[in-house]
Amino acid sequence: MAVLVRLADERGEVVTKRQLLDDIWGEAVVTEDALTQAIVELRKAFGDRALNARVIETIRRVGFRLLPPVRTAGMPLPAPPATPPGIRPLWRDARIWIAFVALGFLAVAFTMFGKDPGPPRRPVNSVAVIPFANLNDDPELEYFSDGLSEELLNRIANLPDLRVPARTSAFSFKGRDMDVREIGRRLGVDSVLEGSVRRFQGRVRVTAQLVDADDGLHIWSDTYDRPLTDIFSIQEDIARSIADALKLQLNPEQLARLKKPPPTRLDAYDYYMLGEFHFRQRENLGTPDAWLERARGYYRNALELDPDFAAAYVGIAKTCLPLLWSVRADTFDDSMARAQQAIDTALRLDPDSADAYTVLAWIRNNRFDHGGVAQAARKALEINPNDVEAMFRLAQAEENQGHFAPALELYRRQLELDPLNPDSVQSTADRLAALGQRDEAVSNLQRLFGDNIDDAWPVVPIAIQYGRYDEAVRIAGQRTDELFRAAQLARAWAILGDRELAEAWFERARASHSFGYTVPIPDVFIRLGRVDELVAFTRQAMEAQAMPRDRPLSPAQFQLLTVAAVAQTLTGNFGEAIRYWEWRLEYEQVRLLGNPDEYISALTFLAYAYHETGDQERSRNLLSAALEVAESAREQGIAGYPPLTIAVARLHAQLGESDAALDALDQAIAEGWRDYYGETALPMWQSLQPDAGYQDRLARVRADLESMREQARRNGWAVFPEAAVLIWPSLQRPPPGARPPARIAADRI
């Protein structure tokens, strides 16, 4: 009430936050969250709201003022109360005590007669948990407020019939002074949970408030001032209060999940939160994996203090997974073993850990066990229906098993829950484009990146897949990642038919290439006619890796095997080609269902190798299987994807079905396909070589490529690597509108 009295004393004038803190709390050690909570309680008493205030108006970043007129009443004054220690004796000021009594009558009158109940509150079906503010002076305690916010998000995400946006999207509002209505609009939610955290002298003070994202009215709020050891019960109480405020019905199993057992030691939990904080930071610590080592160190510290801390074991497993793309067999196997062991322990200690099942799905995905991925991801979603990582893994598993419709639905649901996460939006855009949904993919990227859409990594691959090679050159030329930039420029220029530029960027990419990191380099070997070099390159890499057939492959090794199979086929080493293609299909036949263009290509390459060795029956059976894959993809609505359409055209050409091949080729060209130099290097088109209609189509494709090359030159995009480094030091992006004075390459093809 002292805050109300102080506002009344100014009779409609603004009172700053600092004035209120000094006048009411004096020398007592408090922070702004105490003032915020006082204002919240007053508004609740008056039925007031922050937006469209009728009693207490917030002056953003300044303070507050009282809106109703205040008059002193002629009545005897009661004795003022004693002043608490540390608080200035405001109550001895007669003017303020009179105002207090008058405001008391005002409050009663306002509550009885002036409070507008308004329309019934709409149902709340979604809550965004944005990061709680760290009110400590020490920024090193940021991990604590972030960790508390994330734990609350995870608990609330377990509530039934409630959509909760993912952490990355919700945390994008950290430190931003933004209206709750705007946050709600961007995340597509009905309400927002916000608050503050202050940790001091073995205690913690948490202020939380659930706000309607439509009108800014407080649905619920509370303050918890307890010993630090009660931090877990605070999290549970807040989640329960949210459920009560939203009238959610919880069954016994859901109630049990809200009350998950805390670690036995608070300092172990502290180390765990530090591990989570640094795992997500991915800060530059000198070496690529240094951030993983730092996070892993904190998780291990937590386990030394509490060996039964399940979440810390999940953390250990997560730090192993980014290493799984290593092409080295020993590194991959060791990382997989350590990740699996940690997750097995986590699930033994906590069988209801959604995070553990999500990481288990991640591990199985790297073993190409897509049925196992789906099983683990579904279990995670059963526990936490808002787990976007599990949703993405399940979508991948459905796609990889050839179930495209449910995969698309899951990808879209993931975007609804995580619309502001660049990694999520980009990965999903990549998969949507591969399923023929290019416009939707680009629209999602545009919505997130806006004018900076070129910063999204899928933009270049999508431009290449859909035949927009001049755009690919422009965008790739702006990238600061040297390997990505060089590899994509080499690929784009090779497709465009500029051999000189393609070879220049190709050599730049090879100089910094670690096999398994990027695909375009093997593509360029083929388009430049350097297949013999590709054979030597892959043979050397496979020998270095000692890839025995009875040993599980890493994702990078699988990629290496695919490139080797293509190279052996094109050089006429059909015995080796058959061995590699059979290995590939035997090892990962299920996964190929999720990439029908790759599956059709693998079957047609293998069929060609068998045909050349005289096994016509085996060749025909493989081509028939490829036709079934194409038909299945068509029936499931996968269309409009140039790599798939050209694979189907190639299949018909190999079957000798000229009309069907030309029809599919026309469709591919209409969709944007223009990869003349890569496709005509393949032997499957031999039967169409004498066909005038086929040659006419290829001539039109070459003309389009020439037009794109000229457009790129006119725009100053035909830049050699040495010129790019001189013009844009350290490969930084040029200033807006800059046109580099690069030498223009001659057309060599």
Side-chain angles (χ1 to χ4, degrees):
M1 189 61 75
V3 173
L4 182 60
V5 172
R6 182 66 183 85
L7 293 174
D9 186 45
E10 294 298 328
R11 300 176 183 266
E13 296 298 321
V14 176
V15 185
T16 68
K17 294 179 181 179
R18 177 47 52 195
Q19 287 175 319
L20 288 167
L21 289 170
D22 288 347
D23 291 347
I24 296 172
W25 283 275
E27 298 177 359
V29 180
V30 296
T31 56
E32 283 190 13
D33 62 330
L35 177 59
T36 300
Q37 185 61 28
I39 295 293
V40 167
E41 295 298 334
L42 287 171
R43 282 181 172 145
K44 284 173 62 178
F46 286 118
D48 198 20
R49 61 188 68 184
L51 300 172
N52 303 317
R54 295 176 295 117
V55 180
I56 299 174
E57 180 184 14
T58 299
I59 309 300
R60 188 173 291 274
R61 297 191 182 91
V62 178
F64 306 92
R65 71 187 182 103
L66 194 67
L67 296 178
V70 177
R71 295 188 303 274
T72 56
M75 62 183 70
L77 299 179
T83 302
I87 297 181
R88 296 183 183 180
L90 277 173
W91 300 97
R92 296 176 186 172
D93 188 328
R95 295 177 298 107
I96 298 178
W97 184 242
I98 293 171
F100 164 69
V101 175
L103 259 294
F105 283 106
L106 172 65
V108 172
F110 195 91
T111 302
M112 293 178 60
F113 306 110
K115 184 175 178 179
D116 179 10
R121 181 176 298 282
R122 62 186 177 132
V124 174
N125 300 312
S126 51
V127 177
V129 182
I130 63 174
F132 280 32
N134 172 30
L135 297 185
N136 287 89
D137 294 331
D138 185 1
E140 291 295 320
L141 288 174
E142 195 80 11
Y143 77 90
F144 186 80
S145 55
D146 280 4
L148 174 69
S149 306
E150 185 169 359
E151 282 291 317
L152 278 173
L153 188 152
N154 290 336
R155 288 183 188 247
I156 293 170
N158 286 327
L159 295 175
D161 305 318
L162 196 64
R163 187 170 65 83
V164 182
R167 178 199 184 278
T168 304
S169 289
F171 273 50
S172 67
F173 297 99
K174 181 177 178 179
R176 299 168 65 182
D177 186 14
M178 185 176 291
D179 191 288
V180 167
R181 291 176 298 181
E182 179 63 16
I183 294 174
R185 185 188 68 79
R186 293 196 184 187
L187 292 176
V189 295
D190 304 322
S191 61
V192 174
L193 179 67
E194 60 183 0
S196 61
V197 184
R198 183 168 182 259
R199 175 176 170 174
F200 59 99
Q201 298 177 354
R203 297 188 67 81
V204 62
R205 182 182 179 87
V206 179
T207 298
Q209 52 190 15
L210 184 66
V211 184
D212 192 309
D214 183 49
D215 57 16
L217 185 66
H218 288 82
I219 301 172
W220 164 87
S221 64
D222 208 341
T223 296
Y224 305 85
D225 191 341
R226 300 181 187 174
L228 189 57
T229 51
D230 283 353
I231 187 65
F232 309 107
S233 62
I234 291 175
Q235 295 168 5
E236 180 188 345
D237 289 349
I238 292 175
R240 283 177 176 270
S241 296
I242 298 293
D244 291 342
L246 302 183
K247 297 180 173 56
L248 302 178
Q249 301 298 318
L250 305 183
N251 61 38
E253 186 178 359
Q254 291 161 340
L255 285 169
R257 286 174 182 164
L258 282 184
K259 191 178 177 60
K260 62 181 181 180
T264 57
R265 293 183 53 156
L266 187 62
D267 47 0
Y269 183 66
D270 224 30
Y271 277 125
Y272 166 74
M273 286 198 293
L274 279 165
E276 290 288 280
F277 182 79
H278 287 286
F279 180 79
R280 297 187 184 281
Q281 291 297 306
R282 304 191 181 190
E283 65 267 56
N284 181 10
L285 298 176
T287 61
D289 297 326
W291 60 279
L292 293 173
E293 289 297 332
R294 171 172 284 191
R296 189 180 299 123
Y298 286 122
Y299 293 135
R300 285 173 174 161
N301 289 344
L303 290 172
E304 287 175 4
L305 296 170
D306 183 358
D308 293 333
F309 193 177
Y313 283 106
V314 176
I316 291 286
K318 289 190 300 186
T319 63
C320 299
L321 292 173
L323 304 176
L324 296 183
W325 266 95
S326 170
V327 75
R328 288 185 54 81
D330 54 351
T331 303
F332 174 76
D333 289 342
D334 178 63
S335 297
M336 285 290 292
R338 288 189 288 120
Q340 187 67 58
Q341 182 180 18
I343 283 301
D344 288 345
T345 305
L347 287 171
R348 176 176 57 80
L349 294 169
D350 184 3
D352 286 330
S353 171
D355 288 345
Y357 281 108
T358 297
V359 175
L360 178 60
W362 191 355
I363 294 170
R364 289 175 174 175
N365 187 67
N366 284 280
R367 286 295 195 199
F368 310 118
D369 175 12
H370 303 298
V373 172
Q375 181 185 38
R378 286 194 179 97
K379 182 64 177 178
L381 290 168
E382 177 187 321
I383 299 168
N384 178 3
N386 295 287
D387 189 330
V388 292
E389 181 65 28
M391 205 169 290
F392 182 76
R393 295 298 169 192
L394 181 56
Q396 281 186 312
E398 294 284 14
E399 182 185 356
N400 289 331
Q401 294 176 91
H403 308 146
F404 303 122
L408 279 170
E409 181 183 350
L410 285 162
Y411 284 133
R412 288 164 178 155
R413 280 177 53 200
Q414 183 210 7
L415 280 181
E416 289 178 4
L417 288 170
D418 209 6
L420 304 181
N421 180 354
D423 289 341
S424 178
V425 172
Q426 291 176 111
S427 297
T428 305
D430 177 62
R431 299 317 309 150
L432 288 173
L435 292 172
Q437 309 297 313
R438 177 198 171 276
D439 292 346
E440 182 180 353
V442 173
S443 174
N444 290 333
L445 292 169
Q446 182 73 52
R447 187 160 49 247
L448 178 61
F449 288 91
D451 293 338
N452 298 317
I453 188 173
D454 292 351
D455 292 333
W457 68 258
V459 172
V460 174
I462 290 173
I464 289 176
Q465 290 161 359
Y466 284 84
R468 304 181 184 192
Y469 309 122
D470 52 346
E471 277 296 292
V473 166
R474 178 185 69 80
I475 299 167
Q478 300 175 355
R479 292 299 166 84
T480 58
D481 182 324
E482 182 172 1
L483 175 55
F484 180 92
R485 181 181 192 228
Q488 294 289 6
L489 282 172
R491 187 185 193 195
W493 283 118
I495 295 173
L496 283 168
D498 194 315
R499 188 182 189 92
E500 188 177 9
L501 271 169
E503 288 193 334
W505 283 107
F506 179 58
E507 294 305 326
R508 168 59 65 87
R510 290 186 70 182
S512 56
H513 181 248
S514 171
F515 199 97
Y517 178 69
T518 184
V519 174
I521 285 182
D523 292 359
V524 179
F525 271 115
I526 296 170
R527 291 184 179 90
L528 295 179
R530 296 164 63 171
V531 183
D532 288 337
E533 291 181 53
L534 182 59
V535 170
F537 176 72
T538 54
R539 180 178 290 122
Q540 181 182 6
M542 292 179 73
E543 288 174 355
Q545 290 307 310
M547 293 165 53
R549 189 139 180 184
D550 59 348
R551 187 181 209 170
L553 298 179
S554 73
Q557 289 170 331
F558 179 80
Q559 184 185 75
L560 177 57
L561 178 63
T562 303
V563 175
V566 171
Q568 295 292 345
T569 306
L570 296 181
T571 53
N573 299 320
F574 298 119
E576 283 292 281
I578 289 171
R579 186 168 74 89
Y580 289 155
W581 284 119
E582 293 283 11
W583 186 1
R584 187 188 199 273
L585 291 168
E586 171 191 303
Y587 186 78
E588 204 201 0
Q589 189 169 6
V590 173
R591 178 181 182 272
L592 291 168
L593 292 173
N595 297 275
D597 56 307
E598 292 184 21
Y599 197 7
I600 292 169
S601 295
L603 291 171
T604 53
F605 268 86
L606 181 55
Y608 176 77
Y610 273 119
H611 179 274
E612 294 301 300
T613 59
D615 192 338
Q616 307 303 325
E617 182 180 0
R618 185 74 62 87
S619 178
R620 284 193 298 272
N621 290 340
L622 287 165
L623 293 175
S624 296
L627 282 173
E628 290 178 7
V629 174
E631 181 63 20
S632 174
R634 187 189 66 78
E635 289 175 353
Q636 294 195 62
I638 306 303
Y641 182 50
L644 173 59
T645 309
I646 198 65
V648 172
R650 189 190 313 128
L651 168 61
H652 286 298
Q654 190 169 345
L655 285 165
E657 300 172 351
S658 300
D659 291 342
L662 292 176
D663 287 345
L665 180 59
D666 286 337
Q667 182 182 344
I669 292 171
E671 292 168 0
W673 174 85
R674 297 292 186 277
D675 189 7
Y676 168 84
Y677 297 102
E679 198 62 39
T680 55
L682 305 182
M684 293 80 174
W685 297 93
Q686 292 173 353
S687 65
L688 285 178
Q689 291 298 330
D691 190 295
Y694 173 67
Q695 294 299 335
D696 177 64
R697 289 167 173 82
L698 294 185
R700 285 188 279 118
V701 169
R702 288 196 302 272
D704 287 345
L705 290 173
E706 173 61 27
S707 175
M708 283 190 242
R709 284 200 301 271
E710 290 303 317
Q711 180 68 30
R713 290 191 183 95
R714 285 194 299 271
N715 290 331
W717 300 335
V719 182
F720 282 85
E722 63 273 17
V725 174
L726 289 173
I727 296 163
W728 300 319
S730 303
L731 294 178
Q732 295 301 309
R733 175 174 294 201
R739 292 185 58 177
R743 67 186 177 99
I744 303 301
D747 179 13
R748 300 296 186 183
I749 299 179

